[in-house]
Structure formats: C-alpha cells, structure tokens
Amino acid sequence: MSILEPLYRRWPPTWPLQPIPPTTWARQQPTYQAADPRLITAVLDRSQQRPSGNWYVFAASDTIHSDRPLGATVAGIELVAWRDSRQQLHVGPGACPHLGAPLASAVLDCDTLVCRWHGLRLGPDAGHGWAPFPSHDDGVLAWVRLDHIGNEPSLDAPIIPARPPADTHLAAVATLTGVCEPVDIIANRLDPWHGAWFHPYSFTHLEVLDAPSRHGTDDDNDRFVVAVTFRVGGRLGVPVKAEFTSPEPRTVVMRIVDGEGTDSVVETHTTPLGSGTDGHPRTCVIEAVIADSPRPGFAVARRVHRALSPVLRSAAIRLWRDDLAYAERRYQQRSYQQRSLTGRGIGSRLSP
Ligand code: FES
Ligand SMILES: [Fe+2]
C-alpha cells in the first residue's frame, strides 16, 4: 500500500484533482465489443456528408505576420498567406504568375508581396492573372476556401464550433503530418473506446456513456459522451465528462461538458496536403486546444501564455504520435484491401 493511501482516503471529493484508483493496464474492461466497427463506420459516413463549404484550416493564426509571408500547401495547391498593416489575413496562390517564383519568399512592402525574382507586386486585389482566395481568420486558426478542390456548394464562412470566450481562453495549436487521408484521422477520433487502452499515460477509467445510433440519419446530432480521467502525474488525475462531435467532414471536436474546464474544447482539424513522392497521401493534423476555467490560477496561466503554450503543445503531440500511428495503420489496411480488390497500385484514390 502507498504511504499516501491515508491521504488519498481523506481527499476532498470536490477538488478537481482526484486520486486515481490503482489499475493494471491488462486488467481494464475490454472495449472491443462496444467499439462496433459498423457503428464507427456509420457515424464516420454521416460526418463525411456534412457540408464544409470548401473551407480548409491551413495554419495557426499566430503564425501569420505582416512583416513576412507564410507558405502552406492544401491538396497539392501551393499557398502564400500574409497580413496587411490592419492585420487583415490574405491568402493567394503560392507561385508567382510571371515565372513561378515561390511567393513564400517574397518581400512584404506596403501590404503587397514583392516577388524576389523580378519585382512583380501582388496584393489583396486580383491582377496579373493571379487572384487571392477567400480566407477567414477565426482568432485561433486561419482558413482558406478552395472551391475548385472541395467541389461542394461554397459557404461564406467555415463551420466553427462554439468556443470559450476569446478574452478568457487559453489556446495552443499543435501541427503534425501523417501518411493517410483526412478520413483516417476523423475515424480515429470517432473511436473513443481506444483512449484508456491506447493512451494509458494520458487517460484512465474511460467509459463511453452515450454513443450515436448506427442507424441514425444525417440530421441526427451524432455525439459520443465519455467519462474519463486525465492523468496528471502519479496517482492523481482530473475526472471529466467530454463529448465528441464532427461538425464538418474534416473536423472532430472534443468538448468538456462536466468537470474541470467545462466548455473547453479540443478541435482536431485535418487538411489534405497532397501526395508525397512515394505516391501516398499526406494529411496535416492541426489541433487547437482552447481551454477556459473560472479558477483564479487560470487567469495567471493565461498571462504566461507564451510560457505555457509549448507545454500544451508537447502534450498534444505525444497523444497525436500514437493517434497518427492508428490513422496511418487504417490507411495502410484500406490501401491493402483496395489493392486486393482492384489489383491496382497503392496510389489509387481511396474512398472512406
Ligand atoms: S517570377 Fe515573379 S516577377 Fe518574375
Ligand atoms: Fe487517441
């Protein structure tokens, strides 16, 4: 017995940090029976039918500046992004219309890009056979609308989930790239049953309290509700209830609905980058942790945002290394099944 056991027994039940009953990984309740592949596939299929309006997240808002442009890629399309002197976001094709110079290396002068090769000026207005794309800055993430890639009816603005108020929240954005398609990452997020098994260093005592119906319709508010304890260290953790939803085909949102940090969200956005040199697709995971808490300590943490962000970011990246392995494995298995069925090469486009 731990020498801290008497302390744990008298632990106030109202504190957000709670002692975790000891468990052995292999002795957890198996979840494979509840994690019905047909249910996960049905919920995934419904998520893929929701409109996105052709909007793609391509960067964290705070990585785009007014003194130098940022280069990005979405679905094989090279992009350049910058801010003007009023901090307005602009996004356009990343190749100069003259002879193709990379505009990510252009110089910003009087709110316009000046191409390094021959000095062509390109600004927020269309000209020289070059035109900016519609873009949106939601304060945490930067979006671009690519109608010729999405091929859906366009929307004026992206689908952005409800978030804690901007004046009190603390946001951190982590970015990783995997060899898979966006749908593989969304599928991983729509399987909440893997949490305590696959990420025992972060989650324990996970129970799926509510799951969507396998036979629901697109109008259903598909959501999973999960009771889970986030491990903090040693025998201590933070028990919460969280819901998972997919408001549009490339996003899954986890929202704390009960417990410490209620209304805080983790938004997982997936953006196709295009094919790698090996012919396999690359997908960028852009995950925003947007936290809020009425506790006084949280206001202090917010003030030291710059110091805290790397900590939040590294925790998200550890989880995502494992979840990317899950998504990449799913992609590999789909590729194998597709090759077996069609006898074609790996590079052939896969559907969910
Ligand atoms: S390539 Fe840009 S001005 Fe010539
Ligand atoms: Fe996971």
Side-chain angles (χ1 to χ4, degrees), residues 201-226:
Y201 47 82
S202 282
F203 305 124
T204 183
H205 294 82
L206 186 151
E207 186 184 354
V208 178
L209 304 174
D210 196 12
S213 160
R214 184 183 148 204
H215 302 291
T217 67
D218 282 344
D219 294 333
D220 284 353
N221 181 22
D222 281 342
R223 71 171 201 154
F224 295 91
V225 180
V226 173

mmCIF file of all heavy atoms in Angstrom, residues 201-226:
data_model
loop_
_atom_site.group_PDB
_atom_site.id
_atom_site.type_symbol
_atom_site.label_atom_id
_atom_site.label_comp_id
_atom_site.label_asym_id
_atom_site.label_seq_id
_atom_site.Cartn_x
_atom_site.Cartn_y
_atom_site.Cartn_z
ATOM 1 N N TYR A 201 -1.004 6.472 -20.651
ATOM 2 C CA TYR A 201 -0.223 7.521 -19.986
ATOM 3 C C TYR A 201 -1.029 8.801 -19.817
ATOM 4 O O TYR A 201 -0.667 9.673 -19.034
ATOM 5 C CB TYR A 201 1.053 7.831 -20.787
ATOM 6 C CG TYR A 201 0.777 8.009 -22.265
ATOM 7 C CD1 TYR A 201 0.312 9.215 -22.767
ATOM 8 C CD2 TYR A 201 0.930 6.943 -23.150
ATOM 9 C CE1 TYR A 201 0.026 9.363 -24.110
ATOM 10 C CE2 TYR A 201 0.644 7.090 -24.499
ATOM 11 C CZ TYR A 201 0.195 8.304 -24.975
ATOM 12 O OH TYR A 201 -0.105 8.446 -26.303
ATOM 13 N N SER A 202 -2.128 8.961 -20.588
ATOM 14 C CA SER A 202 -2.946 10.180 -20.511
ATOM 15 C C SER A 202 -4.341 9.933 -19.948
ATOM 16 O O SER A 202 -4.894 10.795 -19.281
ATOM 17 C CB SER A 202 -3.117 10.801 -21.896
ATOM 18 O OG SER A 202 -1.967 11.498 -22.280
ATOM 19 N N PHE A 203 -4.911 8.768 -20.268
ATOM 20 C CA PHE A 203 -6.318 8.536 -19.912
ATOM 21 C C PHE A 203 -6.474 7.268 -19.091
ATOM 22 O O PHE A 203 -5.788 6.268 -19.346
ATOM 23 C CB PHE A 203 -7.178 8.384 -21.175
ATOM 24 C CG PHE A 203 -7.077 9.538 -22.131
ATOM 25 C CD1 PHE A 203 -6.706 9.337 -23.443
ATOM 26 C CD2 PHE A 203 -7.363 10.824 -21.711
ATOM 27 C CE1 PHE A 203 -6.606 10.393 -24.329
ATOM 28 C CE2 PHE A 203 -7.267 11.892 -22.594
ATOM 29 C CZ PHE A 203 -6.887 11.674 -23.900
ATOM 30 N N THR A 204 -7.414 7.304 -18.157
ATOM 31 C CA THR A 204 -7.748 6.097 -17.406
ATOM 32 C C THR A 204 -9.226 6.170 -17.014
ATOM 33 O O THR A 204 -9.851 7.224 -17.090
ATOM 34 C CB THR A 204 -6.840 5.945 -16.164
ATOM 35 O OG1 THR A 204 -7.158 4.711 -15.510
ATOM 36 C CG2 THR A 204 -7.039 7.095 -15.179
ATOM 37 N N HIS A 205 -9.761 5.009 -16.625
ATOM 38 C CA HIS A 205 -11.160 4.918 -16.212
ATOM 39 C C HIS A 205 -12.077 5.562 -17.252
ATOM 40 O O HIS A 205 -12.900 6.420 -16.929
ATOM 41 C CB HIS A 205 -11.354 5.538 -14.823
ATOM 42 C CG HIS A 205 -10.649 4.755 -13.767
ATOM 43 N ND1 HIS A 205 -9.305 4.899 -13.503
ATOM 44 C CD2 HIS A 205 -11.085 3.789 -12.933
ATOM 45 C CE1 HIS A 205 -8.945 4.068 -12.545
ATOM 46 N NE2 HIS A 205 -10.011 3.363 -12.187
ATOM 47 N N LEU A 206 -11.907 5.164 -18.494
ATOM 48 C CA LEU A 206 -12.713 5.731 -19.584
ATOM 49 C C LEU A 206 -13.959 4.868 -19.791
ATOM 50 O O LEU A 206 -13.868 3.652 -19.897
ATOM 51 C CB LEU A 206 -11.884 5.787 -20.866
ATOM 52 C CG LEU A 206 -12.535 6.488 -22.070
ATOM 53 C CD1 LEU A 206 -11.468 7.111 -22.961
ATOM 54 C CD2 LEU A 206 -13.406 5.547 -22.902
ATOM 55 N N GLU A 207 -15.086 5.535 -19.820
ATOM 56 C CA GLU A 207 -16.342 4.836 -20.088
ATOM 57 C C GLU A 207 -17.152 5.646 -21.086
ATOM 58 O O GLU A 207 -17.328 6.856 -20.904
ATOM 59 C CB GLU A 207 -17.131 4.686 -18.782
ATOM 60 C CG GLU A 207 -18.378 3.848 -18.934
ATOM 61 C CD GLU A 207 -19.203 3.793 -17.642
ATOM 62 O OE1 GLU A 207 -18.732 4.314 -16.612
ATOM 63 O OE2 GLU A 207 -20.315 3.266 -17.698
ATOM 64 N N VAL A 208 -17.608 4.997 -22.147
ATOM 65 C CA VAL A 208 -18.462 5.687 -23.124
ATOM 66 C C VAL A 208 -19.895 5.632 -22.602
ATOM 67 O O VAL A 208 -20.495 4.559 -22.522
ATOM 68 C CB VAL A 208 -18.336 5.046 -24.521
ATOM 69 C CG1 VAL A 208 -19.277 5.739 -25.510
ATOM 70 C CG2 VAL A 208 -16.891 5.144 -25.015
ATOM 71 N N LEU A 209 -20.402 6.791 -22.195
ATOM 72 C CA LEU A 209 -21.731 6.852 -21.574
ATOM 73 C C LEU A 209 -22.839 6.905 -22.605
ATOM 74 O O LEU A 209 -23.956 6.460 -22.354
ATOM 75 C CB LEU A 209 -21.835 8.103 -20.682
ATOM 76 C CG LEU A 209 -20.767 8.241 -19.592
ATOM 77 C CD1 LEU A 209 -20.906 9.589 -18.896
ATOM 78 C CD2 LEU A 209 -20.898 7.106 -18.591
ATOM 79 N N ASP A 210 -22.553 7.489 -23.762
ATOM 80 C CA ASP A 210 -23.587 7.646 -24.783
ATOM 81 C C ASP A 210 -22.912 7.611 -26.150
ATOM 82 O O ASP A 210 -21.832 8.187 -26.325
ATOM 83 C CB ASP A 210 -24.306 8.992 -24.581
ATOM 84 C CG ASP A 210 -25.617 9.064 -25.343
ATOM 85 O OD1 ASP A 210 -26.078 8.007 -25.829
ATOM 86 O OD2 ASP A 210 -26.164 10.177 -25.476
ATOM 87 N N ALA A 211 -23.530 6.928 -27.086
ATOM 88 C CA ALA A 211 -22.978 6.850 -28.446
ATOM 89 C C ALA A 211 -24.123 7.009 -29.437
ATOM 90 O O ALA A 211 -25.271 6.668 -29.128
ATOM 91 C CB ALA A 211 -22.270 5.520 -28.666
ATOM 92 N N PRO A 212 -23.839 7.532 -30.629
ATOM 93 C CA PRO A 212 -24.904 7.696 -31.625
ATOM 94 C C PRO A 212 -25.424 6.332 -32.069
ATOM 95 O O PRO A 212 -24.774 5.308 -31.892
ATOM 96 C CB PRO A 212 -24.209 8.396 -32.794
ATOM 97 C CG PRO A 212 -22.893 8.845 -32.281
ATOM 98 C CD PRO A 212 -22.545 7.982 -31.123
ATOM 99 N N SER A 213 -26.590 6.384 -32.681
ATOM 100 C CA SER A 213 -27.164 5.153 -33.226
ATOM 101 C C SER A 213 -26.473 4.818 -34.549
ATOM 102 O O SER A 213 -26.141 5.696 -35.333
ATOM 103 C CB SER A 213 -28.659 5.352 -33.465
ATOM 104 O OG SER A 213 -29.115 4.394 -34.388
ATOM 105 N N ARG A 214 -26.273 3.542 -34.749
ATOM 106 C CA ARG A 214 -25.702 3.096 -36.031
ATOM 107 C C ARG A 214 -26.643 3.433 -37.183
ATOM 108 O O ARG A 214 -26.220 3.670 -38.311
ATOM 109 C CB ARG A 214 -25.480 1.584 -35.945
ATOM 110 C CG ARG A 214 -24.819 0.987 -37.138
ATOM 111 C CD ARG A 214 -24.714 -0.514 -36.967
ATOM 112 N NE ARG A 214 -24.801 -1.167 -38.250
ATOM 113 C CZ ARG A 214 -25.189 -2.416 -38.431
ATOM 114 N NH1 ARG A 214 -25.532 -3.149 -37.400
ATOM 115 N NH2 ARG A 214 -25.230 -2.930 -39.639
ATOM 116 N N HIS A 215 -27.943 3.463 -36.889
ATOM 117 C CA HIS A 215 -28.934 3.655 -37.957
ATOM 118 C C HIS A 215 -29.503 5.072 -37.950
ATOM 119 O O HIS A 215 -30.606 5.293 -38.413
ATOM 120 C CB HIS A 215 -30.062 2.629 -37.806
ATOM 121 C CG HIS A 215 -29.562 1.221 -37.846
ATOM 122 N ND1 HIS A 215 -29.067 0.647 -38.986
ATOM 123 C CD2 HIS A 215 -29.433 0.304 -36.853
ATOM 124 C CE1 HIS A 215 -28.664 -0.590 -38.708
ATOM 125 N NE2 HIS A 215 -28.869 -0.829 -37.428
ATOM 126 N N GLY A 216 -28.748 6.028 -37.451
ATOM 127 C CA GLY A 216 -29.232 7.399 -37.426
ATOM 128 C C GLY A 216 -29.271 7.992 -38.827
ATOM 129 O O GLY A 216 -28.929 7.342 -39.817
ATOM 130 N N THR A 217 -29.696 9.242 -38.885
ATOM 131 C CA THR A 217 -29.732 9.937 -40.167
ATOM 132 C C THR A 217 -28.785 11.122 -40.100
ATOM 133 O O THR A 217 -28.274 11.470 -39.048
ATOM 134 C CB THR A 217 -31.146 10.457 -40.480
ATOM 135 O OG1 THR A 217 -31.435 11.481 -39.528
ATOM 136 C CG2 THR A 217 -32.172 9.350 -40.374
ATOM 137 N N ASP A 218 -28.586 11.756 -41.218
ATOM 138 C CA ASP A 218 -27.685 12.907 -41.265
ATOM 139 C C ASP A 218 -28.141 14.037 -40.364
ATOM 140 O O ASP A 218 -27.355 14.885 -39.951
ATOM 141 C CB ASP A 218 -27.569 13.430 -42.690
ATOM 142 C CG ASP A 218 -26.648 12.550 -43.501
ATOM 143 O OD1 ASP A 218 -25.902 11.754 -42.899
ATOM 144 O OD2 ASP A 218 -26.675 12.663 -44.714
ATOM 145 N N ASP A 219 -29.456 14.069 -40.061
ATOM 146 C CA ASP A 219 -29.964 15.151 -39.224
ATOM 147 C C ASP A 219 -29.696 14.900 -37.745
ATOM 148 O O ASP A 219 -29.884 15.779 -36.920
ATOM 149 C CB ASP A 219 -31.478 15.319 -39.441
ATOM 150 C CG ASP A 219 -31.767 15.792 -40.860
ATOM 151 O OD1 ASP A 219 -30.877 16.454 -41.429
ATOM 152 O OD2 ASP A 219 -32.844 15.482 -41.375
ATOM 153 N N ASP A 220 -29.318 13.667 -37.421
ATOM 154 C CA ASP A 220 -29.045 13.362 -36.012
ATOM 155 C C ASP A 220 -27.887 14.190 -35.514
ATOM 156 O O ASP A 220 -26.937 14.471 -36.237
ATOM 157 C CB ASP A 220 -28.686 11.883 -35.856
ATOM 158 C CG ASP A 220 -29.916 11.012 -35.933
ATOM 159 O OD1 ASP A 220 -31.024 11.557 -35.968
ATOM 160 O OD2 ASP A 220 -29.760 9.792 -35.993
ATOM 161 N N ASN A 221 -27.957 14.558 -34.252
ATOM 162 C CA ASN A 221 -26.824 15.226 -33.628
ATOM 163 C C ASN A 221 -25.891 14.141 -33.098
ATOM 164 O O ASN A 221 -25.920 13.797 -31.921
ATOM 165 C CB ASN A 221 -27.333 16.146 -32.520
ATOM 166 C CG ASN A 221 -26.189 16.870 -31.859
ATOM 167 O OD1 ASN A 221 -25.115 17.004 -32.443
ATOM 168 N ND2 ASN A 221 -26.410 17.312 -30.638
ATOM 169 N N ASP A 222 -25.097 13.564 -33.989
ATOM 170 C CA ASP A 222 -24.205 12.476 -33.594
ATOM 171 C C ASP A 222 -23.222 12.966 -32.545
ATOM 172 O O ASP A 222 -22.460 13.901 -32.799
ATOM 173 C CB ASP A 222 -23.398 11.995 -34.815
ATOM 174 C CG ASP A 222 -24.222 11.096 -35.707
ATOM 175 O OD1 ASP A 222 -25.258 10.578 -35.245
ATOM 176 O OD2 ASP A 222 -23.818 10.905 -36.873
ATOM 177 N N ARG A 223 -23.233 12.336 -31.397
ATOM 178 C CA ARG A 223 -22.224 12.694 -30.411
ATOM 179 C C ARG A 223 -21.955 11.520 -29.481
ATOM 180 O O ARG A 223 -22.853 10.733 -29.174
ATOM 181 C CB ARG A 223 -22.613 13.931 -29.613
ATOM 182 C CG ARG A 223 -23.747 13.743 -28.632
ATOM 183 C CD ARG A 223 -23.894 14.983 -27.754
ATOM 184 N NE ARG A 223 -24.617 14.634 -26.518
ATOM 185 C CZ ARG A 223 -24.506 15.282 -25.373
ATOM 186 N NH1 ARG A 223 -23.708 16.322 -25.274
ATOM 187 N NH2 ARG A 223 -25.174 14.906 -24.305
ATOM 188 N N PHE A 224 -20.700 11.411 -29.096
ATOM 189 C CA PHE A 224 -20.298 10.454 -28.077
ATOM 190 C C PHE A 224 -20.111 11.243 -26.784
ATOM 191 O O PHE A 224 -19.559 12.340 -26.809
ATOM 192 C CB PHE A 224 -18.949 9.811 -28.425
ATOM 193 C CG PHE A 224 -18.971 8.965 -29.680
ATOM 194 C CD1 PHE A 224 -18.665 9.511 -30.912
ATOM 195 C CD2 PHE A 224 -19.273 7.616 -29.595
ATOM 196 C CE1 PHE A 224 -18.661 8.734 -32.060
ATOM 197 C CE2 PHE A 224 -19.266 6.823 -30.752
ATOM 198 C CZ PHE A 224 -18.963 7.380 -31.979
ATOM 199 N N VAL A 225 -20.553 10.658 -25.666
ATOM 200 C CA VAL A 225 -20.273 11.265 -24.360
ATOM 201 C C VAL A 225 -19.436 10.265 -23.567
ATOM 202 O O VAL A 225 -19.789 9.085 -23.473
ATOM 203 C CB VAL A 225 -21.565 11.611 -23.606
ATOM 204 C CG1 VAL A 225 -21.225 12.232 -22.248
ATOM 205 C CG2 VAL A 225 -22.424 12.566 -24.428
ATOM 206 N N VAL A 226 -18.320 10.748 -23.055
ATOM 207 C CA VAL A 226 -17.328 9.874 -22.443
ATOM 208 C C VAL A 226 -16.997 10.392 -21.046
ATOM 209 O O VAL A 226 -16.799 11.602 -20.870
ATOM 210 C CB VAL A 226 -16.035 9.885 -23.312
ATOM 211 C CG1 VAL A 226 -14.908 9.141 -22.634
ATOM 212 C CG2 VAL A 226 -16.326 9.304 -24.696
#
